[in-house]
Amino acid sequence: MEDLRKRLLKTEERTNYLSQIKDGVEWGNLSGLREKFVTLRDRFYDYTEEELSKEIGLLEESLCFLEARCEETLTSMDRVRIVRNPHRFSLKDILENVYEDYTELGGAEEVSIDPSMVAARASIMRRVKNKSVMQQVMVIGHEKGHGEEYRNGGCSKPWGNEKALRYMRVAETEGIPIHFYIFTPGSFPVEDYPGAGQQIARNLYAMAKLRVPMISVTSEGGSGGAEAVGMADVRLMFSHGYYSVISPEGAAAIEGKIREGEKMPKELVEACAENLHITAAENLKLGTIDRIVYEPPLGAKRDDFGFFRQLKSEIIRATDEVVLKTKSLRAFRAYELTMKKAGDQVVEEPHIEISWDLNEDEVKRLLSYRSKKYRAMSCKAYSEEGSACSAFCQKAKKSIAKLYYSFRYDLLKSQQKQVKKVFQDVSGEGSVLLKQVSSPITAAYDFIARKPGVRPGKPPAAASGSGEDPIEFGDVYTSPLANEDRTVTCPNTEKQGCKDLWVPDLYGEFGGVCENCGHHFPLEYQWYLKHLFDPDSIREFNSGVCAGNPLVYPGFEKRLQAAIAKTGRKSGIITFDARVMGVDLVVAMLYSDFRNGTVGAAEGEKFVRACESAKLKRRPLLSYVHTTGGIRIHEGTLGVVQMPKCTMAVREYIDSGGLYIVVYDNNSYAGPVASFLGCSPYQFAIRSSRVGFAGPRVIRDTTGEDIPPDYHNARNALQRGHIQGIWDRREFRRNLHKSLLTMGGGNLYYR
Amino acid sequence: MTHEIDFDAIIGKYRSDPFDYMDVCTIHTGQVRFRVRQDAAVEGPSGEWHHIRGTLLYEMTREGNQKKIFSSSNGVVSFIRDDLEGQFVEAGEKILTIRHPLKKREIIENILRQVLEPFNAPERAKYFFSLELQAKIDKHGQRGVSIKPGDEILTMSLMKRDTPVYYAGEPGIIHSVYFQPGVSVSQGEPLLGICSQEKLPMIQKIITRVKAEWE
């Protein structure tokens, strides 16, 4: 009888789980099943044992049938609910069941620095013939826990990501592979030091060249939070997990233009989840992950030990694969190939001992593979116009340029530098000698020849560059805003008592700046194109790269075409060569007119090419962010992978000796700030701009807390250490030139 | 001195009309368009930082510049110059009155402000009670300590220097304390409300009456 009761309770559990996945009991015959269950439970002792066993058997049978049907027809939103279900396994379960033993680092449970991020030194055992071999790894990942409030449901705070980075570095020092497990709906959007976006950017920057193999497995991959520990050599994903640029609810709020506090239509959320292509199979197809780790039907739970065994073999296999790729021996390569052919579902781990230590050459190969992997991501998600002939021309041009610049800089420059250095030393010595001899004579001459009252000394040196700045505001380009005959009120009037401003003055002579308090009114990006750079020095490149609709998001094509027609450009970024007071530089400019400056595959590709061009030409790279609204959600994870992709490009550019400066203007938020913009060592903001990771509404939605109205403004960003300085728009050109010279040194390409 | 306060008159005033009337005047010259009607309920700014604006009262257009004016307190529009709708109006013209229902606390505060002697901050600084006074307050309670002109009552802490502040004014007891120790107070802000010993029972009486009688 006791057995039967247990069976009955188990069926109840399964019914509940099913109804949770389907968000209600209306689906299938769940309500009927439940009724039947209730009658059985209430009249448990009215039945004989035989009858009961028969009834329960029937119940189980129909439940099995329903489960099978549910598994076949799982929608994206169902998967989201599976992932969020409290019965789902968490990182602790993996640590317990996949690894032999582990030590949590940086504190445990609620006394950890950030309990939602767990770092653990673990050992994993593999069987080789009859011997067991222990291998050391670092496990880093989000711990959702099972309802503990302090874990924030796996939303890692900035200091949690900082902790992750710290232990990544430990793993690098010790030369052990890192296994990342991603269980996060997104990062916790607080800007307190070290800053949500900032820390993700730092993590990505470090991971781009971390000298150990990295494997990541995604269960719940929510955009930025996931990327903070997601830039791996092999990216696996659980079959019932999701990986998305934004939560389906967030997407629905944006798409449906739903006001705060209003109820979100369920169908819209479902549709958004479908359109975002968030499932493992779809991500595999898009190429944003490498392989799927299969789970039992309806997702693995905490006690699916078979699943953990499979995960163990998969993770060992993936680490082997990364390591073997770097080996130069052919035998290893062949073995790797057989492993690949073995198919998707492998339960047994490879029975061969493979050392996970890498030597110098192998590390180099590892890094180059990683770089290539991320460079190739999302390359099919944009279109580029041009015939085969022009492509050939481009290629030829590029190789000629490569030849020219390497001759000019690698060959000549180093020689020139050495000669210059010798000359400098010699002339320095000489001048000291000469001074000793000549000083009595000059002193005597000065005494006789100079007029009294005039102090001897050199005339003041002329300003560097071309001397006086030739550009005056209003001469070159006047904003069309200035054509109206009206006044506007400065938003600081109440505090600062600013007078109303006449529009033609404000947008003409004043450069959009309030004369009293210095508030910067927004200006079009064209103003910057004309005022920031030397006249006629702008040469745009890659303008043919066109943003697309790779996920065939319903209705997006039309909006994209509207943006193209409105701006006359094909993407939300403009890349060009330009000159500032005689200094050549490469500029990548995100601007607001094109879909609010959001970044998708085309923008990412153009940015990467700008980095490559700057690297090739040995020029400083400026990212001017007129506005960015984050990652374009209509491209799903193809948008998200722009974060690691562009960060990788920036890292390579900076490592090769480049100078990378970022200037934020108006509003800069989310993904780009949390990756390729935020990783710059030199970040500045124009006055009255706002910089941050998530906007006020998102913060309110996720944390339930209100933020002060000035939370994201440039002054606070400066105070928090996010940016290094605030620039006045009218001083932008001069400041930029000055910083190019001071940070870049004389030759700008400074190493 | 005691008879200077006619508390029946004060209370009677608030009893007959427990409202505060706030006149809204045009902030500058321009064309006015009302966005509220007579007897409309309006809300003041809200949110933790008062960053959510109140009800839109009227819009003013001058030189093509449309400016929105929001309510600064809650209440009801008790008077509106409907005849000015769409008209060009000079600056400083009274166009609206908001009748703001006073709360018990506000009435008591208003009364106290009328009858108490304020002691204002001489400079922007942090203020603390002087050691001696603090000891007395700890012993007898705030209202059991009387001060007279020339007493050292406060310590003004500015730029790591502590300067004693001496009381100048009518002798009395400390009735209300408006500052928090260690928090900067701007110049001219009231620090203390002083009440002469004789006045105290009357003030207490008023307060208890207000507390008891107002719902």
Side-chain angles (χ1 to χ4, degrees):
Chain A
M1 242 9 201
E2 202 44 44
D3 280 357
L4 285 175
R5 184 172 276 284
K6 269 185 191 158
R7 262 171 73 192
L8 193 61
L9 285 177
K10 187 80 190 162
T11 47
E12 188 200 12
E13 225 170 70
R14 278 162 68 190
T15 327
N16 283 344
Y17 184 66
L18 212 54
S19 67
Q20 276 163 6
I21 292 171
K22 281 295 174 188
D23 198 23
V25 285
E26 282 87 49
W27 184 79
N29 190 24
L30 275 179
S31 48
L33 275 186
R34 177 158 293 187
E35 264 171 41
K36 206 169 175 186
F37 162 77
V38 170
T39 19
L40 273 183
R41 191 189 55 190
D42 291 350
R43 302 174 53 202
F44 194 74
Y45 294 105
D46 295 354
Y47 293 97
T48 60
E49 201 163 324
E50 256 173 49
E51 277 172 342
L52 260 182
S53 142
K54 199 180 154 199
E55 288 289 323
I56 292 174
L58 278 175
L59 207 61
E60 280 171 341
E61 208 172 287
S62 38
L63 199 59
C64 281
F65 173 73
L66 267 189
E67 278 176 345
R69 231 186 85 202
C70 181
E71 171 69 22
E72 275 166 33
T73 58
L74 272 184
T75 64
S76 302
M77 203 54 209
D78 292 341
R79 282 171 203 270
V80 173
R81 280 191 285 265
I82 287 177
V83 168
R84 291 179 186 166
N85 197 290
H87 293 296
R88 191 171 174 80
F89 62 94
S90 73
L91 178 57
K92 274 284 173 67
D93 302 317
I94 294 178
L95 277 171
E96 292 286 351
N97 296 307
V98 172
Y99 297 91
E100 275 327 292
D101 52 35
Y102 69 94
T103 309
E104 232 181 289
L105 305 166
E109 310 260 291
E110 73 264 50
V111 291
S112 178
I113 298 161
D114 179 7
S116 60
M117 177 68 78
V118 166
R121 189 73 157 66
S123 50
I124 195 165
M125 189 186 71
R126 75 195 309 166
R127 224 173 285 282
V128 180
K129 281 158 198 160
N130 287 328
K131 194 171 68 170
S132 53
V133 181
M134 288 285 206
Q135 276 170 310
Q136 300 297 314
V137 288
M138 185 68 83
V139 177
I140 298 173
H142 305 99
E143 175 57 49
K144 275 177 92 92
H146 299 282
E148 301 100 328
E149 205 167 279
Y150 53 82
R151 295 211 195 266
N152 272 320
C155 287
S156 197
K157 295 200 168 140
W159 34 98
N161 286 330
E162 197 271 340
K163 174 167 89 178
L165 179 61
R166 186 152 22 109
Y167 291 110
M168 281 180 222
R169 294 215 187 280
V170 171
E172 188 179 33
T173 315
E174 298 182 358
I176 53 174
I178 308 176
H179 293 168
F180 294 113
Y181 291 93
I182 301 166
F183 288 89
T184 183
S187 198
F188 199 79
V190 288
E191 294 295 339
D192 299 352
Y193 189 81
Q198 280 292 287
Q199 191 55 47
I200 296 174
R202 271 179 226 130
N203 280 22
L204 279 172
Y205 189 78
M207 280 190 280
K209 293 282 174 226
L210 211 66
R211 299 162 61 85
V212 286
M214 295 188 285
I215 317 296
S216 73
V217 197
T218 308
S219 166
E220 180 173 23
S223 187
E227 288 313 308
V229 290
M231 193 183 195
D233 295 302
V234 169
R235 286 153 68 108
L236 305 176
M237 191 168 163
F238 293 122
S239 62
H240 286 67
Y242 80 89
Y243 174 36
S244 171
V245 58
I246 189 171
S247 69
E249 290 86 356
I254 297 174
E255 283 297 287
K257 296 204 169 59
I258 290 169
R259 286 222 213 113
E260 233 176 316
E262 279 177 24
K263 202 174 176 300
M264 229 169 295
K266 207 177 139 197
E267 297 74 36
L268 184 66
V269 179
E270 295 263 350
C272 282
E274 235 23 86
N275 294 337
L276 286 172
H277 290 57
I278 60 179
T279 64
E282 284 163 324
N283 271 302
L284 185 67
K285 215 160 110 191
L286 294 173
T288 51
I289 58 164
D290 298 299
R291 217 168 31 234
I292 297 175
V293 179
Y294 286 90
E295 291 179 49
L298 298 182
K301 299 193 197 92
R302 303 177 64 178
D303 47 3
D304 280 317
F305 299 110
F307 163 71
F308 289 121
R309 209 171 60 239
Q310 193 202 330
L311 175 61
K312 181 178 171 183
S313 69
E314 285 273 6
I315 200 105
I316 292 177
R317 211 175 122 209
T319 319
D320 282 348
E321 192 185 316
V322 175
V323 171
L324 289 178
K325 247 191 202 169
T326 65
K327 305 278 180 200
S328 26
L329 279 173
R330 272 182 72 189
F332 280 125
R333 290 282 179 88
Y335 180 66
E336 184 213 335
L337 275 180
T338 52
M339 273 202 339
K340 261 192 180 169
K341 275 183 196 157
D344 287 324
Q345 259 175 306
V346 184
V347 179
E348 285 296 301
E349 63 243 41
H351 289 271
I352 169 173
E353 194 180 346
I354 293 165
S355 160
W356 288 346
D357 290 331
L358 301 183
N359 65 28
E360 269 307 303
D361 288 342
E362 286 161 354
V363 167
K364 253 187 216 163
R365 220 167 287 141
L366 175 79
L367 295 184
S368 104
Y369 276 125
R370 196 181 300 159
S371 160
K372 272 184 205 148
K373 176 188 170 79
Y374 282 92
R375 179 71 185 84
M377 266 192 192
S378 76
C379 269
K380 288 184 186 117
Y382 59 89
S383 56
E384 190 169 11
E385 61 180 28
S387 57
C389 177
S390 70
F392 176 76
C393 279
Q394 284 272 327
K395 221 172 177 181
K397 227 163 135 186
K398 202 172 163 188
S399 34
I400 291 170
K402 202 168 178 183
L403 201 70
Y404 168 73
Y405 285 110
S406 50
F407 180 71
R408 178 169 162 190
Y409 287 102
D410 295 348
L411 282 172
L412 289 186
K413 199 79 179 195
S414 60
Q415 301 292 330
Q416 202 185 338
K417 249 186 191 169
Q418 277 187 357
V419 171
K420 209 168 161 188
K421 195 159 177 273
V422 170
F423 262 104
Q424 243 172 13
D425 289 353
V426 170
S427 67
E429 292 265 334
S431 70
V432 171
L433 268 179
L434 210 68
K435 203 172 176 188
Q436 276 183 354
V437 180
S438 65
S439 60
I441 302 167
T442 39
Y445 174 79
D446 281 352
F447 183 71
I448 298 159
R450 258 191 239 294
K451 283 179 200 157
V454 179
R455 287 182 68 87
K458 278 188 177 174
S464 51
S466 52
E468 259 313 287
D469 188 3
I471 292 182
E472 279 291 323
F473 300 112
D475 297 356
V476 186
Y477 169 87
T478 312
S479 160
L481 292 168
N483 295 334
E484 253 180 295
D485 181 21
R486 64 183 191 99
T487 59
V488 287
T489 310
C490 175
N492 294 334
T493 301
E494 266 172 43
K495 269 182 269 159
Q496 315 262 3
C498 311
K499 292 202 176 74
D500 283 1
L501 296 144
W502 191 47
V503 164
D505 268 354
L506 173 66
Y507 290 112
E509 194 187 339
F510 299 169
V513 178
C514 172
E515 284 289 88
N516 183 48
C517 68
H519 174 79
H520 282 44
F521 288 80
L523 274 183
E524 308 93 345
Y525 71 92
Q526 288 95 338
W527 189 93
Y528 293 91
L529 286 179
K530 297 291 180 194
H531 285 91
L532 196 53
F533 308 107
D534 291 356
D536 297 323
S537 68
I538 293 175
R539 303 270 174 277
E540 197 178 337
F541 54 82
N542 291 328
S543 57
V545 177
C546 183
N549 184 11
L551 302 187
V552 204
Y553 200 98
F556 183 60
E557 192 69 47
K558 219 182 209 173
R559 285 185 265 170
L560 204 59
Q561 288 308 323
I564 291 172
K566 178 181 148 200
T567 56
R569 296 180 187 277
K570 295 192 172 81
S571 64
I573 191 171
I574 315 170
T575 49
F576 50 89
D577 292 317
R579 210 164 40 240
V580 172
M581 297 193 194
V583 180
D584 283 315
L585 73 164
V586 176
V587 185
M589 185 171 181
L590 285 162
Y591 66 104
S592 59
D593 297 18
F594 194 97
R595 304 239 24 101
N596 202 19
T598 47
V599 171
E603 285 77 9
E605 177 67 23
K606 277 180 85 170
F607 183 84
V608 171
R609 288 192 198 176
C611 287
E612 283 168 354
S613 165
K615 189 175 158 190
L616 176 71
K617 293 174 180 167
R618 271 79 165 171
R619 282 180 190 169
L621 175 68
L622 167 73
S623 267
Y624 168 69
V625 189
H626 183 253
T627 283
T628 176
I631 301 294
R632 192 169 299 150
I633 62 167
H634 308 95
E635 296 192 16
T637 42
L638 286 173
V640 183
V641 293
Q642 303 312 315
M643 289 171 69
K645 180 176 172 174
C646 296
T647 308
M648 179 67 88
V650 166
R651 174 86 197 238
E652 277 168 8
Y653 167 68
I654 293 179
D655 283 354
S656 76
L659 171 65
Y660 177 48
I661 296 180
V662 173
V663 182
Y664 300 106
D665 201 350
N666 301 318
N667 299 310
S668 310
Y669 285 119
V673 178
S675 55
F676 58 95
L677 300 174
C679 69
S680 165
Y682 305 113
Q683 299 174 62
F684 298 93
I686 301 292
R687 257 182 91 159
S688 308
S689 60
R690 278 182 288 268
V691 197
F693 179 61
R697 181 178 170 174
V698 177
I699 295 183
R700 226 173 0 253
D701 280 353
T702 47
T703 68
E705 273 168 41
D706 243 339
I707 50 159
D710 61 349
Y711 192 60
H712 287 122
N713 74 14
R715 271 183 69 87
N716 283 335
L718 184 66
Q719 217 163 32
R720 286 191 281 261
H722 183 159
I723 53 173
Q724 278 72 49
I726 297 176
W727 288 354
D728 193 303
R729 180 187 288 148
R730 298 161 296 186
E731 297 286 314
F732 193 175
R733 185 174 151 86
R734 262 183 286 266
N735 279 335
L736 180 62
H737 181 244
K738 197 180 90 185
S739 46
L740 283 174
L741 293 186
T742 49
M743 291 152 202
N747 55 354
L748 281 174
Y749 204 70
Y750 54 90
R751 260 169 282 145
Chain B
M1 183 135 184
T2 347
H3 302 290
E4 276 173 27
I5 310 170
D6 183 355
F7 71 84
D8 274 331
I10 292 175
I11 285 211
K13 189 185 140 232
Y14 285 108
R15 177 138 293 279
S16 63
D17 185 22
F19 296 106
D20 201 2
Y21 292 88
M22 270 165 289
D23 292 337
V24 179
C25 301
T26 47
I27 41 157
H28 54 58
T29 316
Q31 204 183 29
V32 169
R33 293 226 172 265
F34 288 107
R35 292 286 173 258
V36 284
R37 298 263 174 93
Q38 175 89 31
D39 297 330
V42 294
E43 289 294 324
S46 56
E48 201 179 337
W49 299 274
H50 289 277
H51 60 291
I52 303 166
R53 286 190 282 201
T55 314
L56 177 61
L57 293 180
Y58 66 96
E59 280 174 25
M60 194 138 203
T61 314
R62 183 184 63 176
E63 303 286 347
N65 181 17
Q66 217 174 43
K67 209 163 159 160
K68 293 176 173 172
I69 315 295
F70 300 90
S71 175
S72 59
S73 84
N74 64 332
V76 168
V77 179
S78 64
F79 165 80
I80 189 163
R81 287 282 303 276
D82 277 326
D83 56 313
L84 294 177
E85 171 71 28
Q87 298 290 311
F88 199 79
V89 180
E90 293 285 326
E93 181 94 39
K94 179 181 151 189
I95 54 165
L96 273 173
T97 301
I98 293 172
R99 195 180 64 192
H100 166 70
L102 288 173
K103 285 187 195 121
K104 206 189 280 180
R105 187 178 46 83
E106 286 173 312
I107 292 175
I108 294 173
E109 261 172 35
N110 280 1
I111 295 175
L112 284 181
R113 205 157 295 156
Q114 275 176 37
V115 296
L116 291 183
E117 190 89 4
F119 182 78
N120 297 334
E123 260 183 83
R124 183 180 165 79
K126 291 173 186 164
Y127 290 89
F128 303 90
F129 279 114
S130 68
L131 287 176
E132 205 180 325
L133 195 61
Q134 186 67 54
K136 273 190 196 169
I137 289 174
D138 290 344
K139 201 170 173 190
H140 304 288
Q142 200 173 292
R143 306 217 172 128
V145 183
S146 60
I147 51 170
K148 54 184 190 300
D151 280 357
E152 182 193 332
I153 52 164
L154 295 170
T155 304
M156 179 168 77
S157 177
L158 184 67
M159 304 297 285
K160 295 190 177 173
R161 267 187 311 130
D162 288 348
T163 321
V165 179
Y166 299 100
Y167 181 62
E170 297 289 324
I173 59 146
I174 301 166
H175 190 276
S176 308
V177 179
Y178 300 118
F179 71 92
Q180 275 181 299
V183 176
S184 279
V185 181
S186 294
Q187 189 179 20
E189 291 285 308
L191 292 171
L192 304 170
I194 312 292
C195 167
S196 60
Q197 197 78 50
E198 312 86 75
K199 263 205 253 176
L200 189 63
M202 312 225 45
I203 289 174
Q204 294 290 24
K205 223 168 164 180
I206 294 184
I207 291 173
T208 29
R209 257 185 78 177
V210 172
K211 274 187 182 165
E213 288 176 19
W214 250 268
E215 64 282 351

